[in-house]
Each structure stands twice: as structure tokens, then as C-alpha cells.
Amino acid sequence: MQTALLFGPVFQHFDKLLIGLWQTIQLATISIVLGFIIGTLGAVGRSFGPRWVSWPIAAYVELIRNTPLLIQLYFVYFTLPLIGFKFTSNTAAIIALSIHLGAYITEIMRAGVESVSKGQIEAARSLGLSQWQIIRLVVLKQAARAVYPSLSAQFILQLMGTSIVGAIAAEELTAIANNLVMQTFRSFEIYILLAVIYFVVVQAASLLFALIGRVLFRWKV
Amino acid sequence: MKFMKIAAAIGLAAAALATVSTTAFAQTVDEIIARGKLIVAVDTTTPPYGFLDADLKPTGFDIEVANKMGEALGVPVEFVTVTSPGRIPALLNKQVDVVISIFSITPARAIQIDYSIPYAGQSAVVIAPKSTEIKSAADLVGKKVGLTRGTGEDGLLTAAAEANPGIEILRFDDYSSLLQAMVSGQIDAMGGGDYGEIYLKKAQNGDDFEQKYTLKTFYFGIGVAKGNDNLRQWINTWLFVQKADGVLEALSMKYRNQPLPALPVF
């Protein structure tokens, strides 16, 4: 190969990549929190709700899980304005990412909810716990513990999934790296550095999720 | 022993891969003819230069140039689709022989790859709704201006945004997303080619848009790998004949609906 690797011009712009990284972390964190809330409500609605609640949730899950995230981004950003809902790039990205993650979390949490034995729910009911208390204290806590590894894997996927929101002109790490490629034409160096940054961040996030898991689920089964 | 076997297998595989990669990439005109195909990087999201027709086959100004080049060499053309940021890496990685994809000639790019003489040119303009008053960069302050990442407009409008604080630049990955953003009102103005109106007119509210002012005229060259003088010289000779025969002018009228600007050579 004739091109030598030159990291000097790339490190000059390292501060821009760090700003991009911060935007990626924000996008991921906000959409993970919102997606988790949507998914948990979805799982409860699907398992305990009446048909008019559980069927629309099932439709939502199927619709989102069978279409690409990129199309969902395009839909929120390009199509919704035509019927009067206009969002900025970053807001549209958060909306699409949260709705996307929510569908997956619904399915994961539903698996957890169904792993809780009916006997426990009946026992809780005969002890006089309200339906809300049963769902919150008996079902959801155990469900979250049972599926925690799947949840953290989905969160990690979400973190990496933020890398495509540049398609709707949202700013994040990959979009900024692409801008730098165009300014410096050092594509090899920048993409190598980009991969290293993602690797470190994903490793750190895995560690963080493992620690959170240890703290939250200390009780013995 | 087992380790030796594995090491030998890996060595063989690596050797096989090395052979494959050297035969797949052609340096010279002779090698392209011997291989029996011309591998061309194109972008099918840049109408009218490269786009997909109703049968989803690549077509457009650049695609026809590539096909004519294949005809002249007597080999079929294999298209590799790239986005604008992917054009230089495609040459650096030796995935393609040439890039024919509205590849504006700039000194910065010429550090990494080599260009043929220009085969086409066009002006980068600012397009916005008729109702918006825009005469220069100063009028863009406080507006959202869309552009395609890594194009000539990107450099020009980024510089304009630095000189006039308050211009918000939104970068899209391809031209169709940019047009969609303009049509759906996500951006107030866009930087694009002088032919841009033709495509906006197809949209429901397409007649609302017009060219505001010219940023710069760009010249498109055919990109080849750095130092590939054998291929570049043949392309220059071939382009000279195409220009003399009026082939490029006819293509411009067919796809751009306007003549080419004067094409200087270097």
C-alpha cells in the first residue's frame, strides 16, 4: 500500500470527536431510559392488559421489529413533517431510537414476566396485595432480574445503533467522524480511531451494566 | 505438530488472499482488458449523474460515461455503489479501477488520488423556497441550511457559516435525503447542483423552490488510484476524443437539460 498511516492531522481534531462521543452517549442514555419505560409498560400491558390494550401493543412490537431502524428514522424525520409533526434532527433521532428500543424491550420483558410462576401471583393476591403492587414488587423485579443479560445486550446494541442517525443530519460520533474524513481525507486513520473509541465505550458500558446488575439484584433466589 | 499445521494453513490462506487481491485489481489498461471487466465506483443517489431508473438499474450521466468507457475498452462495466464519503476509500482500498461520480477536482483530494481532465462541470448553488429572500451568505444567518456531507457545497457553506455566525449547517449522507429534507421543510435552504430544481419540481410543492445564488463552478474528473498514470493517460486521451465528437455535450443535454460549461484541461 502506498499510503502511510498519519494520525497527527486526526489527533488535531480529537476534541471534535470527544464532543461527538458526548452526543452519542446522550442519545444512547436518553433513548435507553425512554425505551426501557416504553418496553416495561408494553410488557405489562401485553401480559396483564385487556385485549384492546394487548393487541395494539402486539401490533406495535411486530411493526417495529420487522422494519429497519433507518426507515423508522426517515419516517419520523421526513414523513411526519408532511402531516404537521416537525422535529429537529436530534429530537427525531431520540424519538425513533426510543420507539425502536421499546419494541425490543417489550418482548424481552414479556419473556421475563412470563417466567414468574402463576403460583407467586396467586400467593401475592391472597396476601392482599393490590394488582399494581403485584406487578411492581412480585412480577417486574423478578422479570428484570431474569432477563437482565438480554436487556444489557439490547442496550449495548442501542448504543451502537446510534451511529446511523447521521442519516437524518443528527450530530453524533460517527457523523462527526465522517465530517472529519471529508476535511482531512484521512479515512483509514479516522475510522480506525472511531472503532477504537466505540470499542472502549462499549466495553465500559458492558462493565457498567454488569455493576448495575450486581447492585440491583443482590438478593438470593 | 498441530500448531505447525494450523500455521501452515493460515499461511496458505493468506497467500491465497494476497493472490486474489492482486489479480482482482487492475493497474494498467492492459490488465483491465485481460481481466475482462472495468470496475467503476458510482453513486446512484446523485441524479441526474447517477440514479436508479424505473427498473432499478443504474442510469444517468456518469453511468453512461462509464458504459461508453467500457465500450471503448471492449469490456463490460461492473458497478460498485459508493456514497460521496466512500469515493476516495474505494480507490485507496483498490476496490475499483476508477471513480466516476460527480467527483469534483480539488487539490486536497488530489493528495490521495489522481484525476483525469474534466469530463463535466456544474455550478453549486443555494436553493430555497421562492418566499425566502436570499441573495448572499449573510441572508442565511438564522436559517437551517442542508447539504450533502463531503461535497463541494459542504466546504463552501461551512466556510460561509464560519464567516457568518448563526448559519446552522445540517449534513446529510446522500442527495435524496437532502432533497427530502428540503421538500418536507426540515431545512430552510440547501446547497446543491444547478440542476437541482429539475428534481425538486417532481415533488408536490416543487414549484415553490428556486436558485438563489451561485457558490462556485466545479469540474468533475474521473478518479484513479494515486500514481496510476497508465490508466489516467488513456482516460485523458479517450475524453479528448469524446469532447471533440460532441458525445459529452449530448449527454449533458440529455440528463442536465443544459449545455456543459467550458471544460479547461490540465
Side-chain angles (χ1 to χ4, degrees):
Chain A
M1 198 167 68
Q2 296 161 357
T3 327
L5 288 182
L6 264 181
F7 279 95
V10 178
F11 279 114
Q12 276 177 8
H13 299 286
F14 200 66
D15 53 330
K16 287 185 190 153
L17 287 175
L18 286 181
I19 293 171
L21 176 61
W22 174 233
Q23 289 167 323
T24 290
I25 291 173
Q26 283 178 311
L27 273 177
T29 311
I30 297 173
S31 68
I32 284 172
V33 169
L34 292 178
F36 182 70
I37 294 171
I38 296 173
T40 308
L41 293 176
V44 170
R46 225 187 143 177
S47 298
F48 298 101
R51 266 187 195 171
W52 61 267
V53 171
S54 69
W55 283 15
I57 293 173
Y60 153 70
V61 168
E62 289 308 311
L63 185 69
I64 297 297
R65 295 209 314 162
N66 292 300
T67 50
L69 174 57
L70 188 58
I71 306 300
Q72 293 158 15
L73 281 168
Y74 282 160
F75 185 82
V76 173
Y77 189 71
F78 291 130
T79 312
L80 289 187
L82 301 178
I83 52 167
F85 298 96
K86 202 155 140 188
F87 306 105
T88 63
S89 296
N90 280 21
T91 311
I94 286 174
I95 292 172
L97 286 168
S98 307
I99 290 175
H100 180 80
L101 181 65
Y104 285 85
I105 300 297
T106 300
E107 277 304 271
I108 293 172
M109 284 299 280
R110 194 167 69 102
V113 165
E114 285 175 6
S115 75
V116 178
S117 70
K118 294 277 177 291
Q120 286 195 31
I121 296 172
E122 280 162 23
R125 197 164 288 147
S126 57
L127 283 170
L129 270 67
S130 70
Q131 178 77 356
W132 172 234
Q133 283 176 315
I134 295 171
I135 289 172
R136 195 163 51 95
L137 300 172
V138 179
V139 179
L140 283 184
K141 271 187 99 168
Q142 295 193 83
R145 179 187 176 132
V147 297
Y148 190 71
S150 309
L151 282 179
S152 13
Q154 196 63 44
F155 293 160
I156 295 289
L157 280 177
Q158 181 79 357
L159 175 57
M160 293 189 277
T162 58
S163 63
I164 67 165
V165 302
I168 56 166
E171 293 276 298
E172 45 73 50
L173 183 55
T174 305
I176 291 199
N178 276 331
N179 293 347
L180 289 182
V181 168
M182 299 324 302
Q183 283 167 26
T184 62
F185 298 100
R186 290 277 155 204
S187 52
F188 287 119
E189 293 87 339
I190 289 172
Y191 290 135
I192 289 170
L193 190 61
L194 185 61
V196 170
I197 294 176
Y198 272 112
F199 184 82
V200 169
V201 171
V202 168
Q203 285 292 320
S206 305
L207 202 66
L208 181 69
F209 288 134
L211 281 174
I212 292 175
R214 285 231 180 133
V215 173
L216 284 183
F217 307 117
R218 269 175 304 186
W219 77 87
K220 291 211 169 69
V221 184
Chain B
M1 274 313 283
K2 202 168 189 185
F3 169 76
M4 290 296 286
K5 272 188 191 165
I6 293 170
I10 292 171
L12 273 176
L17 272 177
T19 329
V20 167
S21 58
T22 49
T23 50
F25 174 70
Q27 269 292 344
T28 66
V29 177
D30 286 345
E31 280 166 20
I32 290 172
I33 294 170
R35 187 184 51 195
K37 65 180 174 192
L38 174 68
I39 305 177
V40 182
V42 293
D43 186 347
T44 50
T45 63
T46 55
Y49 297 92
F51 56 101
L52 297 174
D53 66 12
D55 300 326
L56 296 180
K57 274 169 56 183
T59 183
F61 189 108
D62 285 339
I63 312 289
E64 279 213 37
V65 169
N67 281 329
K68 285 181 190 297
M69 192 170 149
E71 273 170 40
L73 288 166
V75 292
V77 177
E78 181 180 308
F79 290 109
V80 174
T81 311
V82 293
T83 54
S84 358
R87 292 175 297 186
I88 288 179
L91 285 173
L92 294 182
N93 297 335
K94 305 194 187 309
Q95 288 163 337
V96 299
D97 302 324
V98 294
V99 170
I100 307 180
S101 175
I102 51 168
F103 209 7
S104 304
I105 299 171
T106 69
R109 285 175 180 162
I111 293 172
Q112 300 236 312
I113 55 116
D114 280 345
Y115 281 106
S116 73
I117 57 172
Y119 67 94
Q122 75 173 33
S123 295
V125 296
V126 170
I127 297 171
K130 281 176 183 160
S131 53
T132 321
E133 184 79 10
I134 296 173
K135 287 201 171 73
S136 69
D139 297 326
L140 295 174
V141 172
K143 295 196 166 58
K144 288 181 176 178
V145 183
L147 46 84
T148 315
R149 199 191 304 280
T151 53
E153 298 89 76
D154 191 344
L156 292 164
L157 284 168
T158 302
E162 274 162 18
N164 301 275
I167 302 179
E168 190 184 345
I169 303 277
L170 292 179
R171 292 182 179 80
F172 293 88
D173 285 340
D174 54 55
Y175 191 65
S176 44
S177 298
L178 174 63
L179 289 179
Q180 195 54 52
M182 184 81 256
V183 170
S184 59
Q186 287 284 14
I187 50 177
D188 303 311
M190 61 174 264
D194 50 12
Y195 56 85
E197 280 177 292
I198 314 172
Y199 293 93
L200 283 168
K201 283 208 164 61
K202 289 185 181 171
Q204 228 170 13
N205 51 350
D207 286 333
D208 303 347
F209 301 101
E210 64 178 11
Q211 292 184 15
K212 296 298 186 182
Y213 70 99
T214 300
L215 292 162
K216 193 183 177 178
T217 300
F218 291 99
Y219 298 98
F220 303 144
I222 295 178
V224 300
K226 191 86 193 151
N228 192 350
D229 291 341
N230 178 296
L231 181 57
R232 195 171 55 87
Q233 186 54 42
W234 179 85
I235 294 172
N236 282 345
T237 311
W238 174 74
L239 282 176
F240 168 79
V241 176
Q242 301 307 298
K243 278 199 286 186
D245 291 352
V247 174
L248 296 176
E249 194 64 27
L251 280 182
S252 181
M253 293 311 291
K254 177 173 172 188
Y255 287 103
R256 292 160 36 86
N257 207 18
Q258 53 191 319
L260 285 171
L263 297 177
V265 294
F266 54 83

